[in-house]
Amino acid sequence: MSTGELLSIEPLELKFPFELKKQISCSLQLSNKTESCVAFKVKTTNPKKYCVRPNTGIVSPRSTCDVIVTMQAQKEAPADMQCKDKFLLQSVKTFDGATAKDITAEMFNKEAGHVVEEFKLKVVYVSPPQPPSPVPEGSEEGSSPRGSVSENGNFNDADLNTATRGYVERSEPLDKSAEARALIAKLTEEKNNALQQNNKLRQELELLKHDSRKNAGGVSFLFVILVGLIGIFFGYIIKKT
């Protein structure tokens, strides 16, 4: 990071992972350390090769701004991957509430008496990240065996057995799961039937109790009448004798 009185810049080098026929971008972060608005402008020694967005702007007090630098696709690689291109970042204090529309070339004119802060940035080419190495086709020690195809394009017996065994092992849990669901459904149905039978038996038991009470009441009344008749009969006999 480079620290000036107005702006801090990170990084100090524009690093591009160079690849032929491909646009490559990198970014700069500008941090305003002051309590004033700071205007900036980015210049390069090779403007046809690079695109800078934004190339001018305003950084608000105690805030940051990101600048994206894009290198156009290159047809040839430079010798020894060395680049002589350079960038110049100029910054100057401006009035509060300034916007990018208020920036003029005169603001960065030192001869006019303006205090202009400047940073020079180098361009560095770096090797692009390497893709991960492919996994070897051959089976390694401790790894599961791979299926192979014979020269005529068919699986051999060992591969077919391996594939069949794998299919059976995968299908067994599915079969067991289906059996479990069927068993649960059957038990649920039996439980519901048992509850229905239980309710039906309770209703029949209540009816039997009710009938038995009625029958018991009727027998008692008849017994009283019978005893009364016998008493009247014996009284009549006694009076007659």
Side-chain angles (χ1 to χ4, degrees), residues 14-87:
L14 296 172
K15 295 183 179 181
F16 293 93
F18 187 86
E19 293 185 59
L20 289 176
K21 301 179 181 180
K22 183 177 181 181
Q23 279 191 350
I24 308 164
S25 298
C26 66
S27 64
L28 290 173
Q29 186 177 74
L30 313 181
S31 300
N32 184 354
K33 305 185 300 178
T34 72
E35 301 296 334
S36 304
C37 290
V38 175
F40 70 89
K41 184 176 183 179
V42 182
K43 297 180 179 180
T44 178
T45 56
N46 196 343
K48 293 183 179 181
K49 184 178 178 180
Y50 301 95
C51 176
V52 182
R53 291 290 181 272
N55 62 342
T56 60
I58 300 291
V59 186
S60 300
R62 302 294 177 182
S63 63
T64 60
C65 176
D66 291 329
V67 177
I68 305 300
V69 181
T70 302
M71 182 177 67
Q72 304 302 321
Q74 300 298 300
K75 297 180 180 180
E76 296 180 357
D80 299 329
M81 292 292 289
Q82 298 296 319
C83 183
K84 297 181 180 180
D85 299 332
K86 290 181 174 59
F87 283 79

Side-chain angles (χ1 to χ4, degrees), residues 109-217:
N109 187 358
K110 293 181 179 181
E111 297 179 356
H114 298 291
V115 180
V116 181
E117 195 171 77
E118 295 183 340
F119 293 96
K120 293 181 180 180
L121 307 172
K122 295 193 306 181
V123 176
V124 178
Y125 293 153
V126 296
S127 299
Q130 298 296 326
S133 58
V135 179
E137 291 296 330
S139 60
E140 299 177 359
E141 183 178 354
S143 63
S144 59
R146 292 174 174 266
S148 60
V149 182
S150 61
E151 294 180 356
N152 60 1
N154 298 322
F155 283 100
N156 55 39
D157 293 339
D159 295 329
L160 183 60
N161 292 335
T162 302
T164 304
R165 183 167 61 252
Y167 174 77
V168 172
E169 291 175 354
R170 288 193 298 270
S171 62
E172 283 182 355
L174 296 177
D175 295 340
K176 291 181 179 179
S177 176
E179 292 177 0
R181 287 196 296 269
L183 180 59
I184 292 173
K186 184 177 180 181
L187 292 174
T188 303
E189 184 180 358
E190 291 179 355
K191 177 183 176 181
N192 293 334
N193 292 334
L195 290 174
Q196 293 177 359
Q197 292 293 333
N198 189 20
N199 293 332
K200 186 175 181 180
L201 290 174
R202 285 183 180 179
Q203 293 175 359
E204 292 179 355
L205 181 60
E206 291 295 332
L207 291 174
L208 290 175
K209 287 182 180 180
H210 183 68
D211 293 341
S212 64
R213 290 195 203 98
K214 290 175 62 178
N215 293 334

